[in-house]
Amino acid sequence: MALTLHSSTSFIKSKDNRSSRTSDDFTSAISFSQMKQPSSQQRAKNSTHEAPTFSGRRNLFIFRRMNELGEKLHGMTVPHSHSHDNLRVPVFVMLPLDTISLGGALNKPRAMLASLMALKSAGVEGVMVDVWWGLVEKDGPLKYNWEGYTELIKMVKKIGLKLQVVMSFHQCGGNVGDSCTIPLPPWVLEEISKNPDLVYTDKSGRRNPEYISLGCDSLAVLRGRTPIQVYSDFMRSFRKRFKDYIGDVVVEVQVGMGPCGELRYPSYPESNGTWRFPGIGEFQCYDKYMRASLAAAAEAIGKDDWGQQGPHDAGQYNQFPEDTGFFRRDGTWNSEYGQFFMEWYSGKLLDHGEKMLNAANKIFQGTGAKLSGKVAGIHWHYKTRSHAAELTAGYYNTRHRDGYLPIARMMAKHGVVLNFTCMEMRDGEQPNEANCSPEGLVRQVKMATKLAGTELAGENALERYDGGAFSQVLATSRSDSGNALSAFTYLRMNKRLFEAENWRNLVEFVKSMSEGGRSTRLPDSDRVGTDLYVGFIKQNNVRKESEAALV
């Protein structure tokens, strides 16, 4: 299906007609489709490592002309009115995970500049970047290196884009989609080596170095500071360094609160094949700090034996709910003990979010930047009674209980935007065996944010370029059921995004979102038949080239 664009920003075929160029002439000036197409494994490996490059004098000339014409066409086709602004959903694009190098410098600045210019000409509002704790505070406690981020922020401002920054207090690497490795700061890893209980632990004693356990949030375990103090000092340093940009260029600060920057436990770790979709995952409450908290909670209600360990019948990472005593239809999850455990486990996660957002609010209050927090879109086993995969991640959401309303209310209390994933996914694209319902989950979260009175923003969970995915985001962005989206962040900028058809789809999507999601000319389905779920291979599946991963 061909798409007709009303923008000059599609990089398709180049014409050498210099006398009278139309918008169609400029829509195809620079094409990435001429490059040799990598294999699916190479794509996954390289997707976040390289920004597209625009080489040659002629291409650079055309690129500048595309920008000029693009601004004119956007001005003509998207009138600015009060009603339009109320409907408009700004679109941001995530930058590569390794935008800043391990040495702290901006990676490939010339390529980045060209890519940002292209996004600007497409009508994109801005970009999102991870601000890695493991890079900035790498050289020692309170020793911050902001140089690479300074160069990026100046570049973003010069082009006229806005910036969402993620305070990324987690490790990059270990999950599918993590194509580079950025560990926690070396001095933090030294403390972990001396005290392994600083990180989340499962019932088998397996340690997860992605994020510091929330069990020690208020304990001075990091060279005289608590983790909350360390995170606060980091954010305070960011505010001080970029005070002239926050509120103007830096319009949103997303507070990382767990693995992948999400408010959750690392219950489904991809590293070393520990977990595979659609496994239920495992509870992460076996470090000594979490165990002490559980014991205290049980003692407080006179049930000491309930505090000795987590559920004994909760199964293993890759089992299904009905394979376990805890998660099966009428399992232990619905008993008095199960309710006690889940209230404690999910309550600890909420307390962690409360502490993080309270600290961030004090630091960024009055700067003009929005605060946001990210919640994972765990859609597998959503149709079952226990919602097992959500429970192990810390979301106490079952057939009988809304687990997202307490999270939304906590965020509303601090004026924080709830950022939610899997906005692009459809129930019909998922394997029947996994009992998925991303659409039902999104509807529930939209209603929870509406009831709580907090804004809702969205992301796509998987790396998608097809019109079907964009159409689904357009549908979920509207306020027909619960909250409409206040913003959408697209995952992720890489070479594939700039291939001809993918770029056409993005440009049309951005334009439709600028019109409140009502004007869509994108296809209603994924025409390429990609696998749209994480690491799951159906029997007789002959299309393995595009397995996707949650982010």
Short mmCIF file of all heavy atoms in Angstrom, two decimals, residues 51 99 105-116 151-152 155 159:
data_model
loop_
_atom_site.label_atom_id
_atom_site.label_comp_id
_atom_site.label_asym_id
_atom_site.label_seq_id
_atom_site.Cartn_x
_atom_site.Cartn_y
_atom_site.Cartn_z
N ALA A 51 23.81 5.93 14.38
CA ALA A 51 22.85 6.87 13.81
C ALA A 51 23.09 6.93 12.31
O ALA A 51 24.20 6.67 11.84
CB ALA A 51 23.04 8.24 14.44
N THR A 99 24.22 6.54 22.86
CA THR A 99 24.39 7.91 22.36
C THR A 99 25.62 8.56 22.98
O THR A 99 26.34 9.33 22.33
CB THR A 99 23.12 8.73 22.66
OG1 THR A 99 22.05 8.24 21.84
CG2 THR A 99 23.33 10.22 22.38
N ALA A 105 31.79 10.76 25.98
CA ALA A 105 31.66 11.72 24.88
C ALA A 105 30.44 11.39 24.03
O ALA A 105 29.92 10.27 24.06
CB ALA A 105 32.92 11.70 24.02
N LEU A 106 29.98 12.35 23.25
CA LEU A 106 28.87 12.12 22.33
C LEU A 106 29.35 11.26 21.18
O LEU A 106 30.34 11.58 20.51
CB LEU A 106 28.34 13.47 21.81
CG LEU A 106 27.19 13.40 20.79
CD1 LEU A 106 25.96 12.76 21.41
CD2 LEU A 106 26.86 14.81 20.29
N ASN A 107 28.66 10.17 20.92
CA ASN A 107 29.02 9.25 19.84
C ASN A 107 28.62 9.84 18.48
O ASN A 107 27.50 10.32 18.32
CB ASN A 107 28.30 7.90 20.04
CG ASN A 107 29.23 6.83 20.54
OD1 ASN A 107 30.43 6.85 20.29
ND2 ASN A 107 28.67 5.86 21.27
N LYS A 108 29.52 9.79 17.52
CA LYS A 108 29.24 10.17 16.13
C LYS A 108 28.43 11.46 16.04
O LYS A 108 27.29 11.48 15.55
CB LYS A 108 28.48 9.04 15.43
CG LYS A 108 29.27 7.74 15.32
CD LYS A 108 28.46 6.70 14.56
CE LYS A 108 29.29 5.45 14.30
NZ LYS A 108 29.66 4.73 15.52
N PRO A 109 29.00 12.58 16.49
CA PRO A 109 28.24 13.83 16.54
C PRO A 109 27.72 14.31 15.18
O PRO A 109 26.62 14.85 15.11
CB PRO A 109 29.23 14.83 17.15
CG PRO A 109 30.58 14.21 17.02
CD PRO A 109 30.37 12.74 17.05
N ARG A 110 28.49 14.11 14.11
CA ARG A 110 28.02 14.57 12.79
C ARG A 110 26.81 13.77 12.33
O ARG A 110 25.84 14.32 11.80
CB ARG A 110 29.16 14.47 11.77
CG ARG A 110 30.29 15.45 12.02
CD ARG A 110 31.41 15.28 11.01
NE ARG A 110 30.98 15.55 9.64
CZ ARG A 110 31.74 15.37 8.58
NH1 ARG A 110 32.97 14.88 8.72
NH2 ARG A 110 31.29 15.66 7.37
N ALA A 111 26.86 12.45 12.54
CA ALA A 111 25.71 11.62 12.18
C ALA A 111 24.51 11.96 13.05
O ALA A 111 23.37 11.99 12.57
CB ALA A 111 26.08 10.14 12.34
N MET A 112 24.75 12.22 14.32
CA MET A 112 23.66 12.59 15.22
C MET A 112 23.01 13.89 14.77
O MET A 112 21.78 14.01 14.76
CB MET A 112 24.19 12.73 16.65
CG MET A 112 23.13 13.14 17.68
SD MET A 112 21.77 11.96 17.83
CE MET A 112 22.63 10.57 18.58
N LEU A 113 23.81 14.87 14.39
CA LEU A 113 23.28 16.14 13.94
C LEU A 113 22.37 15.96 12.72
O LEU A 113 21.25 16.49 12.67
CB LEU A 113 24.42 17.10 13.59
CG LEU A 113 24.01 18.47 13.03
CD1 LEU A 113 23.23 19.26 14.06
CD2 LEU A 113 25.24 19.26 12.58
N ALA A 114 22.83 15.17 11.75
CA ALA A 114 22.03 14.94 10.55
C ALA A 114 20.73 14.23 10.88
O ALA A 114 19.66 14.55 10.34
CB ALA A 114 22.84 14.12 9.54
N SER A 115 20.80 13.26 11.79
CA SER A 115 19.61 12.50 12.18
C SER A 115 18.60 13.39 12.89
O SER A 115 17.39 13.31 12.64
CB SER A 115 20.00 11.34 13.09
OG SER A 115 20.93 10.49 12.46
N LEU A 116 19.08 14.23 13.78
CA LEU A 116 18.19 15.14 14.50
C LEU A 116 17.54 16.14 13.55
O LEU A 116 16.36 16.48 13.71
CB LEU A 116 18.96 15.87 15.60
CG LEU A 116 19.48 15.02 16.76
CD1 LEU A 116 20.28 15.88 17.74
CD2 LEU A 116 18.35 14.31 17.49
N GLU A 151 27.11 18.43 25.19
CA GLU A 151 27.18 18.58 23.74
C GLU A 151 25.86 18.21 23.08
O GLU A 151 25.39 18.89 22.17
CB GLU A 151 28.31 17.71 23.17
CG GLU A 151 28.55 17.92 21.68
CD GLU A 151 29.72 17.13 21.14
OE1 GLU A 151 30.41 16.45 21.94
OE2 GLU A 151 29.94 17.18 19.92
N LEU A 152 25.24 17.13 23.55
CA LEU A 152 23.96 16.70 22.98
C LEU A 152 22.87 17.73 23.22
O LEU A 152 22.11 18.08 22.30
CB LEU A 152 23.55 15.36 23.59
CG LEU A 152 22.17 14.85 23.16
CD1 LEU A 152 22.16 14.49 21.68
CD2 LEU A 152 21.74 13.64 24.00
N MET A 155 23.20 20.66 21.03
CA MET A 155 22.84 20.30 19.65
C MET A 155 21.32 20.26 19.49
O MET A 155 20.77 20.78 18.50
CB MET A 155 23.45 18.94 19.29
CG MET A 155 23.23 18.50 17.86
SD MET A 155 23.93 16.86 17.54
CE MET A 155 25.69 17.21 17.65
N ILE A 159 18.95 22.81 17.01
CA ILE A 159 18.07 22.34 15.95
C ILE A 159 16.62 22.74 16.21
O ILE A 159 15.80 22.80 15.30
CB ILE A 159 18.22 20.81 15.81
CG1 ILE A 159 19.61 20.49 15.25
CG2 ILE A 159 17.15 20.21 14.91
CD1 ILE A 159 19.95 19.04 15.25
#
